[in-house]
Amino acid sequence: MPRAILHDYFRSSAAYRVRIALNLKGVEYEHRIVNLAHGEQKLGEFRAKNPQGLIPCLEIDGHVLTQSLAICDYLDAKYELVPFVPKDPAARSHVLALALTVACDIHPLNNLRILKYITGELGVGDEAKDEWYRHWVREGLTALEALAKPRAGAFLFGDAPSLADICLVPQLYNARRFKVALAAFPTLRRADETASAHPAFAAAHPDRQEQLP
Ligand SMILES: N[C@@H](CCC(=O)N[C@@H](CS)C(=O)NCC(=O)O)C(=O)O
């Protein structure tokens, strides 16, 4: 019996974070696909689990958990294997700052519902929508590069995977999909390359998930 059920969609970067986190902790899980392209996240059955109508949602140990970083925090509190944040308070704050730069200040501006709203209700064309996406990603990644550089190693913080890499890798996957140039971010690219070669990250990659139209 799987220990957990992840409500998932292959291209969702927030769900991708949780796939990585589950793999790093060695937690077995099964996927329940919520097809974002068909708006299934807004439908009653799923919405009863997450009133926000957003994925991911993780059912585990009798709990229904939402918000990818809160889910990562649950897994980290429960399983010691591969700690997601360092114990030292200053290092911990730094890793959280890296992760939150992605999760709070880049990703929410480029989420599906935001892009749909600006093209739908606000009547913005596809070209302007893509430029909106690229603008906020470039701005966010520029700050992230500067913030990460002094304390990065093979990974975004030091030489072990952390919550910062869990957020970085899906965001760079997304940036590439939207053709954001990444040449100016050598620290981020190095960490992404190291992390992507790690089996827990590799198994979580969208190309390794069920592909849906
Ligand atoms: N802060 C949330 C964000 C969740 C989120 O935005 N999920 C996206 C997929 S990456 C979603 O479900 N979007 C559906 C929509 O925008 O309608 C988290 O980290 O879990």
Side-chain angles (χ1 to χ4, degrees), residues 12-14 17 41-42 54-56 67-68 107 111-113:
S12 156
S13 43
R17 291 175 200 151
Q41 72 278 20
K42 306 290 179 216
L54 299 171
I55 60 165
Q67 285 290 347
S68 60
H107 176 262
N111 196 1
L112 180 62
R113 62 188 171 148

Side-chain angles (χ1 to χ4, degrees), residues 4-121:
I5 297 170
L6 176 63
H7 297 266
D8 194 9
Y9 181 68
F10 73 118
R11 274 195 178 134
S12 156
S13 43
Y16 187 177
R17 291 175 200 151
V18 174
R19 294 196 298 266
I20 298 168
L22 287 161
N23 294 345
L24 282 169
K25 295 296 188 185
V27 176
E28 277 178 41
Y29 65 99
E30 84 182 31
H31 303 260
R32 288 278 158 79
I33 306 297
V34 180
N35 193 332
L36 297 190
H38 295 171
E40 287 175 5
Q41 72 278 20
K42 306 290 179 216
L43 301 180
E45 197 189 333
F46 178 72
R47 208 147 195 164
K49 296 189 191 298
N50 183 3
Q52 279 192 297
L54 299 171
I55 60 165
C57 166
L58 183 72
E59 297 186 59
I60 188 166
D61 304 329
H63 309 296
V64 180
L65 307 179
T66 63
Q67 285 290 347
S68 60
L69 266 55
I71 296 171
C72 290
D73 184 63
Y74 177 90
L75 296 172
D76 208 24
K78 227 174 147 186
Y79 302 99
E80 278 177 15
L81 185 71
V82 192
F84 293 164
V85 285
K87 283 211 161 58
D88 171 74
R92 177 185 170 89
S93 177
H94 178 62
V95 166
L96 287 174
L98 297 171
L100 296 175
T101 299
V102 174
C104 297
D105 295 330
I106 300 178
H107 176 262
L109 288 163
N110 294 316
N111 196 1
L112 180 62
R113 62 188 171 148
I114 307 304
L115 301 180
K116 272 190 151 170
Y117 182 76
I118 62 173
T119 52
E121 276 84 341

Side-chain angles (χ1 to χ4, degrees), residues 182-196:
L182 298 178
F185 312 121
T187 309
L188 308 185
R189 284 190 288 108
R190 185 180 66 226
D192 178 60
E193 199 180 316
T194 312
S196 298

